[in-house]
Amino acid sequence: MQISAEPIIYGLIFVAVLVLVEGIYLTVFGKSISLNSRVNRRLDLLEKGSARDEVLEQLRKEMSQHLNSKGIPLYSILADKAQKANIAFSPRQLIIIMAILCVIAFVGLTVGTQAGLPVRIIVAIGMGVGGVYVWVNNKAKKRLALIEEQLPDAVELMVRSLRVGHPFSSAVNIVAKEVPDPLGSEFGVIGDESAYGRDITDSLKSLAERMDMQDLRFLAVAVTIQQQSGGNLAEILHGLAQVIRARFKLFRRVKAITAEAKWSGMFLSVFPILALVMINVIKPDYYDEVRDTAAFIPACLIVGTFLTVNVIFMKIMVNIKV
């Protein structure tokens, strides 16, 4: 029995691409971009001696640079995710990294496989671009999940600050100092913008739209209504904190209930591809007798279409809307 290692080499090269992206990011920025740091990045920059306006300018540039580059043809597929992940790399740097990873993947495919030149080029581009996209997407998911988890505590912290007599702008600054990243730096930018003359409700709306998060929209709307109509903002935010926490618990409960269905759908979607890879590894000549027939290519296209439709429908079936 002849065993082919090429499918395994493809997988190892893609994993190596993901590790390289993370390694480059940590090498360039180190712990300054870590989401696990107790001191948020804005306070860290201020403690290093940077002026408040310089820190604000730097953070605002990082928060808007990706959406501002959405018109770049190749970069448009990354812009929205990179914005939500707040990737510190500039769009130009990310494109350069994609190009470098494509070259590294091509070299790996050339050394480790016997694929033809067109196949190596296409697969290398797919690995370079796809690896960066997967990495950015994972960063965005982790960051949004952390913001959702931090938001109820941040709102309750503002409620306690308002009840002891602080104005809303001071409550926002307290959140910026006490809450770690990612929400701490975001509220720090809002507090700095308010200090330099921007309306705080506009900053909250901008944050909600940039993160595309419903709970942040609730917060922006609640503050806007209170400023226009009056009322006890502390009580309004207290009720909002309870609603956000209840929504968060409901989402977690739904996620736990649907976990089995999601994993089943993922397994059923991935299993045909894994079976194809294992066939090629264990018996590379399995398709030799039919490879030269006229029906082989059309049959492969039909099977590929059905697999794609299967993945789409499985994703639709397990995507529970709350």
Side-chain angles (χ1 to χ4, degrees):
M1 181 177 64
Q2 184 182 2
I3 297 179
S4 173
E6 285 199 7
I8 299 176
I9 293 173
Y10 282 106
L12 291 176
I13 292 174
F14 185 72
V15 172
V17 167
L18 294 177
V19 174
L20 278 172
V21 180
E22 183 69 19
I24 293 171
Y25 197 60
L26 292 176
T27 301
V28 175
F29 297 103
K31 294 183 178 180
S32 65
I33 45 81
S34 175
L35 294 179
N36 299 322
S37 177
R38 291 183 178 274
V39 179
N40 63 58
R41 185 157 181 258
R42 172 179 168 272
L43 291 180
D44 187 49
L45 291 173
L46 290 173
E47 288 177 358
K48 289 179 179 178
S50 300
R52 186 178 181 183
D53 57 339
E54 293 175 352
V55 173
L56 175 61
E57 182 180 358
Q58 179 179 345
L59 293 178
R60 289 188 67 181
K61 180 181 177 181
E62 292 176 1
M63 291 173 181
S64 61
Q65 62 182 345
H66 299 289
L67 285 184
N68 292 339
S69 303
K70 204 170 183 179
I72 301 175
L74 181 62
Y75 193 74
S76 59
I77 62 175
L78 279 174
D80 186 58
K81 297 292 184 182
Q83 186 67 44
K84 291 177 181 177
N86 197 30
I87 299 297
F89 281 134
S90 67
R92 183 180 178 182
Q93 290 171 332
L94 272 180
I95 293 174
I96 292 173
I97 289 171
M98 282 191 284
I100 293 173
L101 293 177
C102 288
V103 173
I104 293 173
F106 179 79
V107 173
L109 292 170
T110 302
V111 174
T113 68
Q114 298 178 351
L117 180 61
V119 174
R120 279 180 284 154
I121 293 174
I122 294 173
V123 174
I125 293 174
M127 285 185 175
V129 177
V132 173
Y133 180 84
V134 170
W135 176 76
V136 170
N137 187 49
N138 288 336
K139 289 283 186 183
K141 286 182 177 180
K142 288 180 181 179
R143 189 166 187 269
L144 291 177
L146 274 174
I147 290 177
E148 288 179 348
E149 188 174 349
Q150 291 175 324
L151 187 57
D153 293 333
V155 175
E156 289 179 351
L157 183 59
M158 286 191 287
V159 170
R160 292 194 292 270
S161 177
L162 291 170
R163 283 176 174 171
V164 298
H166 292 153
F168 183 67
S169 57
S170 297
V172 170
N173 287 323
I174 290 173
V175 172
K177 292 179 182 178
E178 299 295 332
V179 177
D181 274 338
L183 198 60
S185 291
E186 294 286 353
F187 270 77
V189 170
I190 292 174
D192 289 343
E193 288 178 339
S194 174
Y196 285 108
R198 187 180 185 186
D199 191 273
I200 201 164
T201 57
D202 292 338
S203 298
L204 285 171
K205 290 176 183 177
S206 176
L207 172 61
E209 293 304 318
R210 184 157 35 85
M211 294 294 104
D212 191 22
M213 189 177 295
Q214 195 64 33
D215 291 338
L216 286 172
R217 291 192 180 98
F218 290 157
L219 175 61
V221 169
V223 174
T224 302
I225 291 175
Q226 190 276 336
Q227 287 191 351
Q228 293 177 353
S229 304
N232 191 333
L233 182 58
E235 293 302 319
I236 295 173
L237 294 183
H238 176 66
L240 177 62
Q242 292 180 324
V243 171
I244 294 174
R245 197 175 294 280
R247 278 167 50 85
F248 184 73
K249 289 181 180 179
L250 177 61
F251 289 146
R252 285 292 179 90
R253 185 177 180 184
V254 170
K255 186 177 181 179
I257 293 173
T258 59
E260 182 180 357
K262 288 185 176 181
W263 278 103
S264 298
M266 187 183 302
F267 174 78
L268 292 174
S269 299
V270 175
F271 179 76
I273 300 174
L274 294 179
L276 180 63
V277 171
M278 289 304 300
I279 289 173
N280 286 326
V281 171
I282 296 172
K283 193 172 177 58
D285 58 347
Y286 185 78
Y287 299 104
D288 286 353
E289 295 181 2
V290 296
R291 184 172 295 172
D292 296 329
T293 61
F296 183 74
I297 299 299
C300 289
L301 294 175
I302 292 173
V303 171
T305 302
F306 276 118
L307 284 175
T308 304
V309 172
N310 168 67
V311 171
I312 293 172
F313 272 89
M314 284 291 180
K315 190 173 181 63
I316 292 173
M317 290 172 65
V318 299
N319 187 20
I320 309 298
K321 298 291 185 181
V322 180

